[in-house]
């Protein structure tokens, strides 16, 4: 056996959750030995990373939900009741045409209907199948995670899928647990295991409860774990199929549009039923009441055949009237937008958030990493009575002060160097990384100090947003009865707990009443520096303290850390203001630091009534005072997650659409409470990411602005399609109803109506829903909660274009010969009226479709923008769809007669007339843009 334990053996021991069984295997150290792992250095990359480890224990790849095949979407498409009725009618019509009808080739119409149904189902199924594949690809990106792994004694950052059994994983508060394992080192570790156990209480981890489960998250503490099972062998892997969720759920916009579609569909159904009733009555009157010639009298087969035609036309009219394309338009737009948003560094985890972001009225943004670069550098050190600015070296501080500062930073932090690059690459908290880089400039190797102190560490008190500090207690080598507690954190909080300081000689002195520390902290903060106080305290050893001491510390140094504002942020903030979005900075920093950074960003504007307030003062306000002050609050400093949650919920109660950013575990409540939660992909904890709707992959505020643009684009594109579709619905229903009940016959056959339905529902949805966003979208105010999705301006365009098309088509139906002269084509068999020839109807059908094709160009701009061809080079899908549909129309018109479309070829001047009448939609649409609707 290559290893001292089998995969089954370790899984059984872990699954029992029995500490005694783990002890029988030698405890964590014994299992590590069997797995050939060094608990202090991790796996040896040269000796231990071989194929045997993967073959024996597997890889950390979890099962993926089985993909739905294309044929499943085809079957789903046939579940539409209206389509089933149409198929049933077509089957009956086909049988009747073959065996009972006296008309030659009566079966052709039915075959044409089957062909049209095949085309509609194929295209819609292909769209849904492609959408499913896109969402699966996005989910794979969403589930891609990085972890910190100890190998060769160094901390590496790698993908969770690359870890192996035997790896040592370092865990911080908020981290995702990537595999099953056993605790190696533990300082106050608590895990949220609710997604696996159903228990909402935090599970505390210790040597008596060392079992770590894949898929859970640390909500408290820091530590490390030995990986014992990966991938399908973990408990998470075994239950993943039950936890897999469908990638596409109905969004609020889809639900709203379904209501619109139902209303339109009911109108179409009403008209279709009324049309069938009128035609049936006329048929029965003609057959049994009115005195017609014996040769023309309809027999029972003739009546049945006519009734079948009426049913086919009625059902086809319903199919054309029911706008199935509305939900499809949302789905396509969301799929297209989410894919493009990923390129803009926005990973959408919740589809509803994409459209909601377009209506955001306020953004509550973190400072660090979002508005700033998160590339922190220590630029000032105040120690003793001296300020050190600029480049630091080994002589910057005296030996004693440097020694204690090195210990305080090395031991009381979790940041580390990754690899052996030059300059060094750091991983972990960016503030701690800046401190390690400062020590490096002073020619100090922090790793030596950290290794020396590793065995002496008694307890770690992780940083929390409530205390604003992190502390670590260690045993003092020279005195077993003493512990030294190192602490670092927000200067005004940590320094307030100090009563002594280390002077320039390395000695400790009481802090004088008129000290310069406070003024130094204020000066640094007002210049935009984050200030960190590093201190320590020696205490009597009396077991484990539940909380770190809160007084009598010795101040070692005040560090001023510069985190520059991202260069694109001021422009992005100005764009938000033009977009009607108020940006607020929410930060845990000193209020002076926060105000200075907010000024640089363009957020804080006290000259025009802007207010900066601290968390304690904010939460002390009454609800009335808070609502009165909130419109002016631009900076919330020294805030806790509770303050952020209160801010978000209050803004929502006031009717705002709130987007909020967060990166910490404690931000989860605010992220969940917001209309859209935005977590940070680089600095965010896994808990924050799980609670968010969108992950900002580069932590950059300008990426948030891009998400607003894409959200507005979804809403705008759906409106474009809605305007286009309602226009077609009105015209198709009106000409079919009016013509059929007034003896004008059926200007559009059942097959032609299905072709129109394909243009309207699928092709147009694809063309208009994939229009890229224009920059003009960000220069408008956000749409409100109560705004109708169909605006007055849209109704203007819909009604005028509908009236134009009816004015063109109705005369063609009734007065074809007077327009073009007599046409020498045979009349269709007819017992009821003077219906036009198939040639006449072909012209009507052709003009109707070209009117829709050119009106689709009008739909590209629905807010009175004059240039409908703007950015057409970026809308290649629109252009391709237009060309394909135009070619399809030409082919159907000229060659579609034999396959059931009921068309005959047109002359050249009829083609000129068709396209010319269709083109009339463009100048009318252009003129309409000068008519403003208020």
């Amino acid at each position: 056996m290559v290893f001292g334990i089998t995969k089954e053996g370790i899984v059984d021991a872990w699954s029992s959750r029995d500490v005694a069984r783990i002890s029988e295997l030698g405890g964590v150290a014994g299992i590590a030995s069997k797995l050939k792992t060094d608990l202090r250095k991790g796996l040896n990359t040269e000796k231990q990373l071989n194929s045997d480890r993967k073959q024996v224990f597997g890889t950390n790849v979890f099962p993926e939900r089985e993909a739905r095949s294309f044929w499943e979407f085809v079957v789903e498409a046939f579940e539409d009741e209206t389509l089933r009725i149409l198929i049933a009618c077509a089957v009956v019509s086909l049988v009747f045409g073959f065996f009972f009808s006296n008309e030659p080739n009566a079966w052709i119409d039915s075959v044409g209907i089957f062909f049209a149904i095949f085309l509609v189902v194929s295209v819609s199924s292909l769209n849904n199948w492609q959408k499913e594949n896109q969402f699966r690809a996005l989910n794979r990106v969403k589930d891609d995670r990085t972890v910190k792994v100890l190998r060769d004694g160094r901390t590496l950052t790698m993908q969770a899928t690359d870890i192996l059994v035997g790896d040592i994983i370092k865990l911080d508060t908020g981290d995702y647990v990537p595999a099953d394992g056993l605790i190696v080192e533990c300082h106050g570790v608590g895990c949220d295991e609710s997604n696996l156990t159903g228990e909402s209480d935090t599970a505390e981890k210790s040597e008596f409860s060392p079992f770590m489960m894949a898929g859970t998250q640390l909500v408290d503490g820091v530590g490390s774990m030995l990986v014992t099972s990966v991938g399908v062998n973990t408990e998470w892997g075994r239950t993943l199929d039950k936890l897999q969720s469908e990638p596409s759920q109905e969004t609020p916009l889809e639900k709203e549009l379904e209501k619109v579609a139902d209303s339109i569909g009911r109108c179409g159904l009403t008209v279709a039923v009324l049309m069938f009733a009128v035609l049936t009555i006329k048929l029965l009157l003609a057959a049994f009441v009115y005195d017609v010639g014996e040769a023309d009298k309809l027999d029972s087969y003739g009546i049945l055949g006519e009734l079948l035609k009426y049913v086919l036309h009625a059902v086809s009219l319903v199919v054309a009237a029911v706008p199935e394309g509305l939900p499809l338009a949302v789905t396509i737009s969301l799929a297209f937008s989410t894919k493009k948003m990923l390129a803009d560094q926005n990973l959408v985890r919740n589809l509803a958030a994409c459209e909601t972001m377009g209506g955001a009225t306020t953004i509550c943004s973190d400072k660090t990493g979002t508005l700033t670069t998160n590339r922190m550098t220590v630029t000032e050190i105040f120690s003793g009575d001296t300020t050190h600015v600029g480049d630091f070296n080994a002589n910057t501080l005296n030996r004693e002060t440097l020694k204690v500062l090195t210990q305080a930073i090395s031991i009381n932090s979790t940041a580390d160097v990754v690899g052996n690059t030059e300059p060094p690459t750091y991983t972990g908290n960016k503030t701690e990384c800046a401190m390690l880089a400062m020590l490096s400039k002073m020619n100090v190797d922090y790793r030596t100090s950290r290794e020396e102190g590793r065995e002496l560490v008694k307890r770690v008190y992780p940083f929390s947003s409530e205390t604003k500090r992190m502390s670590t207690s260690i045993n003092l080598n020279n005195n077993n009865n003493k512990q030294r507690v190192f602490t670092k954190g927000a200067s005004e909080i940590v320094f307030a707990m100090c009563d002594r300081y280390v002077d320039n000689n390395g000695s400790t002195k009481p802090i004088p009443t008129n000290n310069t520390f406070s003024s130094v902290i204020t000066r640094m903060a007002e210049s935009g520096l984050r200030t960190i106080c590093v201190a320590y305290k020696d205490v009597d050893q009396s077991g484990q303290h539940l909380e770190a001491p809160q007084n009598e510390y010795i101040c070692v140094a005040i560090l001023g850390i510069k985190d520059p504002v991202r260069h694109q942020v001021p422009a992005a903030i100005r764009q938000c203001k033009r977009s009607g979005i108020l940006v607020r900075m929410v930060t845990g920093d000193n209020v002076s630091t926060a105000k200075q950074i907010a000024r640089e960003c363009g957020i804080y504007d006290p000259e025009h009534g802007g207010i900066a307030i601290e968390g304690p003062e904010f939460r002390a306000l009454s609800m009335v005072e808070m609502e009165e002050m909130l419109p002016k609050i631009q900076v919330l400093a020294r805030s806790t997650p509770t303050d952020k949650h209160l801010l978000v919920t209050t803004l929502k109660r006031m009717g705002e659409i709130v987007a909020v950013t967060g990166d910490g575990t404690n931000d989860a409540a605010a992220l969940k409470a917001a209309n859209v939660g935005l977590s940070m992909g680089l600095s965010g904890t896994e808990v924050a990411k799980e609670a968010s709707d969108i992950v900002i992959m580069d932590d950059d505020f300008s990426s948030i602005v891009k998400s607003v643009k894409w959200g507005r684009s979804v809403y705008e594109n759906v409106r474009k399609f809605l305007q286009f579709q309602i226009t077609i619905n009105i015209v198709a229903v009106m000409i079919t109803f009016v013509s059929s009940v007034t003896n004008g016959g059926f200007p559009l056959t059942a097959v032609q109506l299905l072709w129109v339905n394909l243009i309207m529902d699928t092709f147009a949805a694809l063309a208009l829903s994939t229009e890229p966003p224009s920059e003009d979208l960000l220069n408008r105010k956000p749409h409100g909660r109560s705004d109708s999705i169909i605006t007055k301006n849209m109704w203007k365009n819909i009604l005028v274009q509908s009236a134009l098309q009816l004015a063109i088509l109705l005369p063609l139906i009734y007065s074809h010969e007077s327009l073009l002269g007599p046409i020498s084509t045979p009349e269709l068999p007819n017992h009821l009226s003077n219906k036009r020839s198939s040639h006449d109807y072909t012209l009507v059908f052709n003009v109707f479709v070209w009117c829709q094709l050119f009106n689709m160009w009008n739909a590209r701009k629905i807010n009175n923008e004059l240039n409908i061809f703007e950015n057409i080079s970026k809308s290649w899908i629109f252009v391709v769809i237009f060309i394909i549909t135009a070619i399809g129309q030409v082919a159907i018109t000229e060659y579609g007669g034999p396959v059931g479309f009921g068309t005959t070829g047109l002359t050249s001047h009829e083609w000129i007339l068709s396209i010319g009448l269709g083109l009339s939609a463009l100048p009318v649409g252009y003129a309409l843009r000068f008519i403003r609707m208020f």
Side-chain angles (χ1 to χ4, degrees):
M1 187 165 58
V2 179
F3 298 96
I5 190 170
T6 63
K7 175 181 68 178
E8 292 74 20
I10 199 168
V11 169
D12 288 344
W14 188 95
S15 299
S16 70
R17 307 290 203 285
D18 188 349
V19 177
R21 290 195 62 180
I22 300 298
S23 299
E24 290 173 2
L25 294 172
V28 176
I31 293 175
S33 177
K34 290 178 172 60
L35 294 173
K36 300 182 179 180
T37 297
D38 186 323
L39 289 178
R40 297 188 61 176
K41 295 184 178 181
L43 292 176
N44 185 302
T45 54
E46 292 185 3
K47 298 180 180 179
Q48 302 300 333
L49 296 187
N50 50 48
S51 58
D52 289 339
R53 192 173 294 272
K54 290 183 180 180
Q55 290 175 356
V56 173
F57 298 108
T59 59
N60 200 37
V61 177
F62 293 96
E64 195 176 50
R65 185 177 58 85
E66 186 177 349
R68 298 172 66 189
S69 68
F70 171 77
W71 296 110
E72 289 180 274
F73 288 106
V74 172
V75 172
E76 188 178 272
F78 281 108
E79 292 176 0
D80 182 84
E81 292 297 329
T82 309
L83 201 61
R84 289 179 175 180
I85 293 172
L86 186 61
I87 293 171
C89 292
V91 170
V92 174
S93 177
L94 183 65
V95 173
F96 182 85
F98 264 120
F99 300 106
F100 303 104
S101 177
N102 295 323
E103 296 181 13
N105 300 325
W107 54 271
I108 291 180
D109 280 351
S110 304
V111 173
I113 291 172
F114 282 121
F115 175 74
I117 291 171
F118 167 77
L119 199 59
V120 170
V121 169
S122 298
V123 174
S124 62
S125 300
L126 182 62
N127 268 329
N128 289 331
W129 180 65
Q130 289 177 332
K131 176 202 71 177
E132 168 89 352
N133 289 335
Q134 284 181 335
F135 285 137
R136 286 174 63 83
L138 285 174
N139 278 336
R140 281 193 286 270
V141 175
K142 181 184 75 176
D143 295 332
D144 195 14
R145 306 173 190 270
T146 57
V147 293
K148 296 189 288 292
V149 180
L150 185 66
R151 287 184 179 173
D152 297 324
R154 294 184 177 277
T155 302
L156 307 176
T157 300
M158 62 176 60
Q159 297 298 317
T161 53
D162 294 331
I163 66 172
L164 302 170
V165 167
D167 266 323
I168 304 296
I169 307 296
K170 288 194 170 184
L171 298 169
D172 292 325
T173 301
D175 278 356
Y176 157 84
V177 180
D180 286 351
L182 298 169
I183 281 288
V184 175
E185 188 178 3
C186 178
H187 298 288
V189 170
C191 283
D192 176 8
E193 299 177 346
S194 57
N195 60 343
L196 283 177
T197 66
E199 297 292 334
S200 58
D201 294 336
T202 299
E204 303 295 336
K205 299 298 176 181
S206 66
E207 60 181 311
F208 306 107
S209 179
F211 304 98
M212 302 291 290
M213 290 193 287
T216 61
Q217 293 167 326
L218 261 70
V219 294
D220 293 302
V222 295
S224 60
M225 61 171 272
L226 170 68
V227 176
T228 57
S229 297
V230 292
V232 294
N233 300 311
T234 64
E235 185 151 332
W236 172 258
R238 293 192 294 270
T239 59
L240 191 60
D241 287 337
K242 299 177 184 178
L243 297 174
Q244 288 284 1
S245 58
E246 289 295 326
S248 55
Q249 298 178 352
E250 279 193 339
T251 70
L253 184 57
E254 283 178 316
K255 292 177 181 178
E256 182 181 353
L257 287 177
E258 279 192 356
K259 295 177 182 177
V260 175
D262 288 342
S263 299
I264 297 173
R266 282 194 294 270
C267 292
L269 179 62
T270 301
V271 173
V273 171
L274 184 61
M275 180 186 75
F276 177 76
V278 171
L279 291 176
T280 301
I281 292 171
K282 291 177 66 177
L283 173 66
L284 295 177
L285 288 174
F288 301 111
V289 177
Y290 294 123
D291 185 18
V292 296
E294 191 66 33
D296 292 328
K297 187 177 286 291
L298 292 169
D299 58 17
S300 57
Y301 287 135
I303 294 173
L304 180 60
E306 290 294 329
L307 285 174
L308 277 174
K309 288 181 182 178
Y310 299 162
V311 171
L312 277 172
H313 276 87
V315 175
S316 299
L317 184 61
V318 172
V319 171
V322 173
E324 302 98 334
L326 282 179
L328 179 64
V330 180
T331 303
I332 291 174
S333 188
L334 286 172
F336 178 77
S337 297
T338 50
K339 186 175 181 180
K340 294 295 184 180
M341 286 173 72
L342 187 59
D344 280 342
Q345 302 301 312
N346 289 272
L347 173 60
V348 179
R349 302 183 70 255
N350 177 6
L351 284 181
C354 181
E355 64 191 52
T356 305
M357 199 63 196
T361 58
T362 184
I363 299 174
C364 301
S365 175
D366 279 347
K367 176 184 76 70
T368 305
T370 307
L371 300 172
T372 60
T373 61
N374 206 19
R375 297 190 187 119
M376 299 192 182
T377 306
V378 178
T379 58
E380 288 192 36
I381 303 173
F382 182 79
S383 180
D385 302 308
T386 306
T387 298
H388 306 274
V389 182
D391 294 330
F392 310 117
N393 54 55
N395 299 320
T396 299
L397 301 176
N398 69 72
R399 182 173 298 179
E400 290 301 317
T401 302
L402 182 57
K403 179 180 178 181
V404 70
L405 182 63
T406 300
Q407 282 187 311
I409 293 174
S410 302
I411 297 173
N412 187 33
S413 69
T414 58
D416 212 340
V417 169
V418 178
N420 296 305
T421 60
E422 191 61 43
T425 301
Y426 298 93
T427 182
N429 179 276
K430 299 301 181 182
T431 302
E432 293 181 348
C433 291
M435 296 180 188
L436 295 184
M438 177 195 71
L439 293 180
S440 179
K441 290 180 180 179
M442 295 179 177
N443 297 323
V444 174
D445 184 1
Y446 77 93
R447 285 171 293 199
T448 301
S449 182
R450 181 174 288 182
E451 286 298 320
E452 291 174 354
R454 184 189 295 273
E455 300 298 329
L456 302 175
V457 172
K458 294 294 293 181
R459 185 173 177 87
V460 176
Y461 306 88
F463 177 87
S464 77
S465 298
E466 300 295 333
T467 63
K468 303 292 184 186
R469 60 193 174 104
M470 175 184 179
S471 304
T472 300
S473 63
I474 67 170
N475 288 332
L476 287 177
N477 280 329
N478 60 349
N479 191 338
N480 291 329
N481 295 320
K482 287 283 188 180
Q483 285 185 4
R484 174 163 290 180
V485 180
F486 295 108
T487 192
K488 69 178 190 304
S491 291
E492 66 269 32
I493 293 176
V494 175
F495 183 72
M497 299 188 297
C498 297
D499 59 5
R500 288 172 292 169
Y501 74 101
V502 178
D503 68 9
N504 289 335
N505 298 317
S507 303
T508 60
K509 290 183 179 180
I511 296 175
T513 304
N514 297 323
N515 70 85
T516 58
F517 283 86
S518 296
S519 60
V520 167
I521 292 172
T522 301
R523 178 186 58 76
M524 286 183 180
E526 288 179 346
S527 63
L529 298 181
R530 166 177 283 189
T531 60
I532 301 294
C533 180
V534 181
Y536 73 93
K537 176 183 181 179
D538 292 337
V539 298
D540 292 331
Q541 181 165 315
S542 54
Q544 295 282 0
H545 296 279
L546 296 178
E547 294 183 1
Q550 300 183 27
N551 53 33
E552 298 181 346
Y553 280 91
I554 301 169
C555 177
V556 180
I558 304 293
L559 308 180
I561 301 177
K562 181 67 175 176
D563 185 12
V565 171
R566 292 180 183 269
H567 71 274
Q568 63 269 50
V569 163
I573 298 295
R574 289 193 296 272
Q575 181 61 70
C576 283
K577 290 179 179 179
R578 290 194 296 271
S579 303
I581 302 172
L582 177 61
V583 181
R584 295 176 169 88
M585 177 193 286
V586 184
T587 179
D589 275 354
N590 178 297
V591 67
S592 298
T593 304
K595 286 196 291 188
Q596 177 58 31
I597 296 298
R599 279 194 187 95
E600 293 179 29
C601 294
I603 294 174
Y604 183 48
D605 186 10
E607 290 77 15
H608 292 87
I611 295 174
I613 189 173
E614 290 189 315
E617 182 184 353
F618 174 74
R619 76 179 81 106
L621 296 172
S622 68
M623 195 54 63
V624 174
E625 291 172 329
M626 194 176 293
E627 291 185 0
E628 288 178 354
M629 188 179 290
L630 260 177
K632 297 180 181 179
I633 292 177
Q634 296 171 341
V635 177
L636 182 60
R638 280 293 174 238
S639 65
T640 65
T642 303
D643 298 328
K644 183 183 283 190
H645 184 267
L646 178 61
L647 173 67
V648 170
T649 53
T650 305
L651 286 170
K652 285 181 66 179
R653 189 170 57 252
M654 293 172 66
E656 302 279 354
I657 306 295
V658 185
V660 63
T661 69
D663 57 9
T665 300
N666 290 333
D667 287 329
L671 290 169
K672 280 289 187 184
N675 296 102
V676 181
L678 302 140
S679 64
M680 302 297 105
L682 298 178
S683 61
T685 64
E686 292 300 330
V687 173
K689 292 175 187 177
E690 286 295 323
S692 67
D693 303 297
I694 298 175
V695 179
I696 307 301
M697 306 294 284
D698 59 357
D699 292 14
D700 191 343
F701 184 85
S702 63
S703 296
I704 298 174
V705 178
K706 292 174 184 176
S707 73
V708 173
K709 182 170 69 174
W710 280 107
R712 293 187 178 186
S713 177
V714 169
Y715 201 79
E716 183 82 353
N717 287 347
V718 169
R719 277 181 159 172
K720 293 175 184 178
F721 175 69
L722 189 58
Q723 175 180 297
F724 173 76
Q725 187 173 55
I726 291 179
T727 304
I728 292 187
N729 278 340
I730 292 174
V731 177
V733 170
M734 287 297 295
I735 64 170
T736 302
F737 177 79
V738 172
S739 177
S740 61
V741 301
T742 58
N743 292 341
F746 293 110
L748 301 176
T749 68
V751 181
Q752 289 170 358
L753 280 171
L754 288 176
W755 168 244
V756 171
N757 181 65
L758 183 65
I759 297 172
M760 178 175 66
D761 278 349
T762 303
F763 290 166
L766 189 59
L768 293 171
S769 299
T770 54
E771 286 267 274
S774 65
E775 293 302 322
D776 181 62
L777 286 173
L778 289 176
N779 295 327
R780 306 175 194 167
K781 301 301 180 186
H783 57 264
R785 288 177 181 271
S786 58
D787 289 358
S788 172
I789 193 169
I790 307 177
T791 64
K792 292 180 180 179
N793 205 61
M794 290 169 63
W795 276 121
K796 173 195 70 178
N797 297 331
I798 290 168
L799 294 177
V800 173
Q801 288 291 343
S802 298
L804 171 67
Q805 292 183 27
L806 289 171
I808 292 172
L809 294 168
L810 288 175
L812 281 178
I813 292 172
Y814 293 101
S815 306
H816 182 193
E817 291 189 7
S818 64
L819 291 172
L820 297 174
I823 303 294
S824 57
T825 55
E827 294 292 323
L828 290 174
N830 172 14
H831 300 279
L832 301 177
S833 63
N834 252 342
K835 297 177 185 175
R836 312 305 316 160
S837 69
S838 60
H839 192 93
D840 296 342
Y841 288 147
T842 298
L843 181 64
V844 173
F845 166 60
N846 200 37
V847 172
F848 173 78
V849 171
W850 283 104
C851 283
Q852 312 317 321
L853 285 177
F854 287 111
N855 192 39
M856 191 162 68
W857 287 86
N858 282 325
R860 291 192 72 234
K861 302 292 181 181
I862 60 175
N863 290 291
N864 293 325
E865 303 99 320
L866 295 178
N867 185 8
I868 62 172
F869 303 104
E870 183 183 7
N871 293 326
I872 193 63
S873 60
K874 298 179 181 178
S875 300
W876 63 270
I877 295 179
F878 180 94
V879 175
V880 169
I881 291 295
F882 177 83
I883 292 172
I884 289 175
T885 310
I887 292 173
Q889 178 61 22
V890 171
I892 287 171
T893 302
E894 291 296 319
Y895 311 108
V899 293
F901 278 92
T903 57
T904 61
L906 299 178
T907 63
S908 58
H909 70 277
E910 286 173 331
W911 271 107
I912 294 172
L913 178 68
S914 298
I915 296 175
L917 290 174
L919 272 169
S920 65
L922 297 183
V924 171
Y926 186 78
L928 284 175
R929 298 177 195 283
F930 292 95
I931 303 174
R932 304 282 176 178
M933 299 294 289
F934 299 100

